Amino acid sequence: MSERTADDRERKTDGGMVTERDEREVDNEGKTNDRQKSGTASELRGGDLEIGYPDSGIIVECESIIVPAGEITAFVGPNGSGKSTLLKAMSRELHPESGVVQLDGEDVHSLGTKTLARKLGLLSQENESPGNLTVENLAYHGRYPHRGFFESKTEEDHEAVERALELAGVTHLRDEEMGSLSGGQRQLAWIAMVLAQDTDVLLLDEPTTYLDLRHQLRVLEVVRTLAHEEDLTIGIVLHDISQAARYANNLVALRDGEPYDWGPPSEVVTEELLADVFGVEATVGIGPEGPVVTPRRPL
Amino acid sequence: MSERTADDRERKTDGGMVTERDEREVDNEGKTNDRQKSGTASELRGGDLEIGYPDSGIIVECESIIVPAGEITAFVGPNGSGKSTLLKAMSRELHPESGVVQLDGEDVHSLGTKTLARKLGLLSQENESPGNLTVENLAYHGRYPHRGFFESKTEEDHEAVERALELAGVTHLRDEEMGSLSGGQRQLAWIAMVLAQDTDVLLLDEPTTYLDLRHQLRVLEVVRTLAHEEDLTIGIVLHDISQAARYANNLVALRDGEPYDWGPPSEVVTEELLADVFGVEATVGIGPEGPVVTPRRPL
Amino acid sequence: MSENFEKEINKTFDGALTALVVASIAIVVIGGLVQVSFGAFTMSLEQAWRAVFDPKVITNPDVLLALLLGNEIPVDLSSETTVVWSLRLPRVLVGILVGANLAISGAIFQAVTRNELASPYILGVSHGAGFAVLLTLIVFSGLSVFLPIFAALGGIVAFIIVYAIAWKGGTSPVRLVLAGFIVGTIFYSFQRGLFFFAPDIGVVQTALAWTTGSLTGTGWEQVRTVLIPTLFIVPVSLVVSRQLNLLLLGERTARSLGMSVERVRFMLSALAILAASAAISVAGIVSFVGLIVPHIVRNIVGTDYRKLVLGCLFAGPALVVGADVGARLALNPIQVPVGIVTGLVGGPYFLYLMRKRQKLGEL
Amino acid sequence: MSENFEKEINKTFDGALTALVVASIAIVVIGGLVQVSFGAFTMSLEQAWRAVFDPKVITNPDVLLALLLGNEIPVDLSSETTVVWSLRLPRVLVGILVGANLAISGAIFQAVTRNELASPYILGVSHGAGFAVLLTLIVFSGLSVFLPIFAALGGIVAFIIVYAIAWKGGTSPVRLVLAGFIVGTIFYSFQRGLFFFAPDIGVVQTALAWTTGSLTGTGWEQVRTVLIPTLFIVPVSLVVSRQLNLLLLGERTARSLGMSVERVRFMLSALAILAASAAISVAGIVSFVGLIVPHIVRNIVGTDYRKLVLGCLFAGPALVVGADVGARLALNPIQVPVGIVTGLVGGPYFLYLMRKRQKLGEL
Amino acid sequence: TDGNGEGKQTSTDGTGTGDGTTQSGPYSVSMEPVGKVEFESVPKTWVANNGSWADMGVALGLEPPKAVWLTSRYHTQYYDDIPGVSVDKSGMRDLSSDGVNKELFYELDADIHVIDPNFLMNRFDGWNQSDIDEIKKKVAPFFGNSIFSHSYDFHKDYKYYSLYEAFEKLSKVFQRTDRYEKFASLHDEFESNVESVVPKKKEDRPEVAIMWATGNQPKSFLPYLIGEGTSFKQWRSLKVRDALANTSVQDFHANRGKVDYETLLEIDPDVLLLRGHEQQSAKEFQNTVVSFMKDHNVASKLTAVKNGDVYRGGPLYQGPITNLVITDRAAKQVYDVSEPLFDREKVADIVSG
Ligand SMILES: Nc1ncnc2c1ncn2[C@@H]1O[C@H](COP(=O)(O)OP(=O)(O)OP(=O)(O)O)[C@@H](O)[C@H]1O
Ligand SMILES: Nc1ncnc2c1ncn2[C@@H]1O[C@H](COP(=O)(O)OP(=O)(O)OP(=O)(O)O)[C@@H](O)[C@H]1O
Ligand SMILES: [Mg+2]
Ligand SMILES: [Mg+2]
């Protein structure tokens, strides 16, 4: 699939994506509410991005990247391929060397920090937990961008936090301190915090890390619900390609800091991609819920 | 499968495991070298364990747990079920409230710290990396228990580190600082450190966290090679039940701090287990390499 | 919304915080009573209390105002009344204000620097102030009337230097702490160097007293000096407790939640410096209060800064007023600087707590 | 194996470390030459160098031994020779030894406490020692001969108290640092308290000089005092560099690699305290060297403790000997405590580094 | 000549209405910087700034002051020599204890404060003019002058008094000018006795170095230049030469640095006078400090050590009585005078009236 590069990219980036998407959605389940969307979902777009860290060179280069409004876009790629770096740049945590990131057409760097945080939430790949903070208090921190300097908690904050705890499935852990949780429980607490932030766009870097199967599915179901029922725009990094294929509307495969391919999962996920990008020999079957990847062995 | 409790446990713990295992091994692939084992592999055993943290009650209770010599034992279970807690106790990081952990019949608490560290290596679920340490130097730290107080690095240390870097697949990152690695690369560096420790027993708590598919497979292949060719005894926590079923000789399923079931994957991994322990509706099929789990939805 | 507010209040004032506040108030009241009743000037308890309720003062707003504003007192008061009203009472008030400022300042700095050793003096403030004091005493001795102001200025200048050095397209707690420490030590070296130019031991001892912290000789003038900034600091510190909580989560998270970390950190530091300077300007460098009060309060009410700041507002005065009783009366008629007593009382108590509790010291 | 060893050495002595060592040696040598050549006692450069190579001394082992051991000198030496050999030369040696001990001590404490602000005095040592000095001078003035020993003992006692308090079925860096800080501050309060009982200015001056750190008046006696522990400390510190490296990985990892973290931490702390006490006993509390030398060296050679300890061994003496040239000769014949100069020289240099480099300060 | 001009009984102002005589009724005495101070009656209880003023009071036969700055620096062992004169410090309070406590002034309730108010206002924070005024109004007036140091900044603008001028003022305040007169003449006589033992030729007078040495094994020293202050009065009277005068060593007041043996060897004074050992007897001093120096490699090369000319260097404060005792001792140290230079009985007589 490596020959499908420059021209394909051209074709896909010049605005043709939306129509393409509409077609795609047909062969994806969970779309029942899709048509009820209010149409106000936000779109995140990056153009001509060159991203690096202070002491490193350019690590990610990307002519055009779109996280379409109201959909789930999964970023996949091997370790070190630049997924986190890309997400950091999209969420303004990292200032790209060149290029712009636009949220609904506005440069994210021109937005106020709080304004942006009300619109875009980021779950980092690794989070350091202050040991003696309770899960509930952590979730309340997610409400920070919604409160004015002198305001105290409102009923709205309260509701948002309750809902986030519920969605992340940590209601029963609300009074536990982060330090006395298992790795997976802690991860769920962080997810609750981002959900409480109640943004239009969510960027989740490996949210299923540390989670057991059930919680992985739960989190992904929640993500799906949010996108399709509440019109959230979601970017998500996943290592499990089957899961990515099953839940995402679009898939972006990164290799060595560059997008290798993107499009609907059914198109992108092929044995060739797995060999080329991931270096894995695998069979790709079609299950009831999209492509199913059965890995054989590393190449 | 929840009715298969007390008696089964009895049956399985009273030494009958070894013969049982022999039968099992037949239906597992990758056993070609199994019979060439020198027979000196170490066995890790816990009895009447009650484990808790300073401020918590008893969290894990377990009458008997065996990590058989020269085999791979996978620990599976939902978040917070006590997998890490159990591994901590087995590696003496946590002192159990009651019960003993024996390595080849010796109480681990009676062994010198260095002696134990030469025999048993632990990869923790979460590791804090000092940002400016290089991967190679981190791996060299794994040689700590092998060096006397006044000794400097030996040729043996050198070889062990090279081999560990090779096995973990981070040779090309050897001079990189931990702070400038991606999450997955960092995880591999930690794996290299444990491998350099060159122990008879390895306890790995979610070693595939953050890893891409290829690296997950690579790490698991390495683990298999170590167990089957080099006679290492391996305890491994995994969330991916298909992977666990494919690579492990034995599976221990934990629920709420108690072993729910154990035995060869083909016996343990059932739709019932997935529903009971993990709360997931899934289909279990038989693939060429053992049971294949296809999750449907959380219950 | 008002029901919600009530819930909020109830949640903030949980049992632990309420107990702490009540105990602190009790200590301040008892300490105040003792301070008013005893001292170098011999009078009976009855005389002392008659002086407190001297109708010439309490029934006469003019007198009260004159005391507060430092004007000429319009009536002739007895020695007892003078001693109580212009020496003993204001000293208690200064103690309360100093304690509150120092404790708040320490609590803020512990969040800003995420360092458990942070105190109001962490960013070079104390040594900057000490240097300014010595400079005033030794080089510009004609200006020693302005000592308090210079002291506060010295602290602020040190803080600005620290920030300028730590800033490198942004700061970090580690850089701030380190720059603060080094700038502080340099000022300290200068200070020690100035000692060598002190005309006599008295100046050295005055400087030492300043750098140890003392409430001796404080009166209504000091109450005025410290009251004005305090009226600003206290409400603001209560409002910013949410920012403080968020800072503890780490920079990255705080930023992704929309906090302008650098700006907030600077503003909070400035607030804390203001509080420290207010205290320094009237009492010198009272050690320890700003370091241990937040830790002790945290140990009682937990790490939530909404409770912590409130607790510090009460516990700080309790420690200072309590210690000042010791400073003034323990070796009567010899007075020792209150800074020594806060160290000798607060320190061992803190160590005792540390022996008892595993978690003390974590932020 | 020997080839391997060579490789190892080559790897340790990389360009940066070699440059650092060479530069440090150059500073020490030049500083030493200046110190030997100039001073209050007037002699020409030629006379000074003739005195250095006075055949009565260098050809006579008895004289050398007598100097070193403090016995009666068997021959009659000229004033020049006496000045050079019993005042100027030993002072340089003391500077070297003090610098090495302080730098190593600081480097060790920074690893043990994992705190970038750790210095040889972090665990209450300096204030413990300072208190002992004042106690000796003021209360037990008859015993002032034993001042150096008491100072070191004071430091050690403080350290033991700190450890006893921090210990709670094990310690943690945070607990150690906090207990050290508090115990230190308590001792400091006592110290300040004692100042107010100082009978005269001389005592205050002596105490200040002690707590500032000074090489004035040091001779062969001090060389003897500090040399013996140093002969133990230096090789051991080189050997334990591996332990130090591992400690930086965090307790959990260190433990799982078979380190008895508690034991090692205690032993390392004891080693560092020994080094600090050795330095304190001859030079008082020389500020800054132990804090900034490890940071500067780390900035040059990286965080590997094998290189770091080696670098400190050379850079520490360079700072102290260099600063002592200033302390002794800047205001000749008046001498200022070297601790002031280390602060005034080392501090700004450190800040300059900090402005230049982003990472300075990280461990 | 005597740089301080002690003993010259200059009547500089003569504003006191009670000059020279004991009388009742209001009177006033004036002194810089407090100006003219009115007294309704002769003060009975008093507070003194330091040992100098306290000693003046003792010389006037008064009760000791209720408080001085620091009692520890008021050396009363010098009175041991004078029959019938002794001072019990046990009830005496320190004015200075963590600053100056105003309440203490109310408590002491003295009739006069022999303290320069500038001293209170400039040396310690917390005191300003309104505090002084309050105490003046509520308790008693201030009457004092910081006569003993030239180095205070606040000292520049007003008159500087010599010891005996100040003494005279104080005697007027307490209406005991008769005792002052007797002391003045005793002092004149004493000064001429001293004059007689001082060698005429400058070269015959030793070069001395005055140093502060802490502890019994001193290795570093704080140098003093013989200056105008009262604390050097005995050395000026004895006309010793200052070994440090022509060196670059500065008085440590200017610059609190230390010197070591190298500097001493460079200066190599004839006599070494070490301060800070007043609490020791001459013998104790010999057995500790001097014997240490004799054994020291470098110190033993010093002329003063070789010749046994290392002595205690005297206290910081002197009043009329202590000055006599100390000068007498100093004469013995530097000129080996064996006869006492003043009559102790006579001093006792003056004091007792
Ligand atoms: N330090 C601690 N103190 C108190 N309780 C703890 C501590 N660590 C874990 N626990 C509790 O112990 C239980 C088991 O935790 P453990 O970490 O062993 O789970 P786990 O099976 O490893 O889960 P995960 O898959 O999420 O890593 C959890 O309920 C957790 O809340
Ligand atoms: N702070 C940093 N400084 C310098 N280089 C970095 C830094 N963080 C990451 N890199 C480098 O950037 C590249 C991309 O890293 P990134 O974290 O974006 O990868 P990733 O796709 O998220 O990988 P993973 O799946 O392991 O999380 C890697 O090669 C890594 O070494
Ligand atoms: Mg990543
Ligand atoms: Mg776990």
Side-chain angles (χ1 to χ4, degrees), chain E residues 280-298:
Chain E
Q280 284 179 318
S281 70
K283 194 160 167 231
E284 283 164 352
F285 182 74
Q286 285 293 326
N287 291 342
T288 55
V289 179
V290 177
S291 78
F292 166 76
M293 292 177 78
K294 281 193 171 128
D295 291 340
H296 191 276
N297 260 346
V298 187

Side-chain angles (χ1 to χ4, degrees), chain A residues 32-267:
Chain A
T32 32
N33 299 307
D34 223 358
R35 298 282 71 101
Q36 295 153 25
K37 279 179 192 174
S38 56
T40 58
S42 300
E43 185 195 60
L44 194 63
R45 231 176 222 279
D48 296 323
L49 289 174
E50 294 191 337
I51 315 167
Y53 294 90
D55 296 329
S56 73
I58 303 296
I59 281 179
V60 172
E61 241 174 312
C62 171
E63 264 175 57
S64 161
I65 187 101
I66 303 179
V67 185
E71 297 191 359
I72 301 176
T73 303
F75 295 83
V76 297
N79 292 137
S81 59
K83 304 180 295 297
S84 302
T85 307
L86 184 59
L87 246 60
K88 281 182 204 165
M90 307 272 280
S91 63
R92 208 171 78 173
E93 204 193 298
L94 206 58
H95 200 106
E97 309 280 315
S98 72
V100 283
V101 177
Q102 292 178 322
L103 179 61
D104 285 335
E106 262 189 295
D107 187 345
V108 291
H109 278 91
S110 70
L111 292 173
T113 46
K114 269 200 176 178
T115 316
L116 181 65
R118 273 195 299 270
K119 295 191 174 172
L120 185 151
L122 169 72
L123 176 73
S124 294
Q125 185 169 2
E126 280 163 279
N127 295 293
E128 34 170 341
S129 321
N132 37 25
L133 189 70
T134 66
V135 173
E136 180 174 352
N137 282 339
L138 181 65
Y140 266 110
H141 280 307
R143 299 303 298 165
Y144 181 84
H146 293 275
R147 283 156 70 191
F149 202 82
F150 292 98
E151 277 174 54
S152 65
K153 287 177 197 167
T154 62
E155 197 54 46
E156 203 186 320
D157 292 333
H158 185 67
E159 278 162 19
V161 167
E162 286 307 314
R163 182 165 159 275
L165 293 177
E166 189 73 43
L167 285 175
V170 286
T171 323
H172 63 294
L173 297 173
R174 63 189 317 149
D175 292 323
E176 297 290 323
E177 294 188 353
M178 290 293 279
S180 65
L181 295 182
S182 79
Q185 291 167 337
R186 232 173 278 168
Q187 178 74 4
L188 291 170
W190 282 104
I191 291 174
M193 190 199 81
V194 190
L195 292 179
Q197 208 175 325
D198 197 13
T199 55
D200 301 333
V201 181
L202 271 183
L203 298 179
L204 308 172
D205 199 347
E206 306 195 17
T208 55
T209 306
Y210 298 131
L211 298 188
D212 62 30
L213 192 52
R214 183 180 130 84
H215 281 116
Q216 289 180 20
L217 296 178
R218 274 209 48 169
V219 166
L220 291 169
E221 304 262 320
V222 165
V223 165
R224 173 144 63 191
T225 316
L226 291 175
H228 298 162
E229 292 184 14
E230 306 196 14
D231 235 4
L232 261 68
T233 303
I234 289 172
I236 186 168
V237 176
L238 289 173
H239 277 305
D240 187 322
I241 296 160
S242 304
Q243 281 182 355
R246 183 166 158 206
Y247 286 94
N249 304 104
N250 320 296
L251 226 121
V252 178
L254 284 166
R255 188 176 68 167
D256 287 341
E258 291 187 33
Y260 169 87
D261 192 15
W262 61 88
S266 53
E267 282 180 29

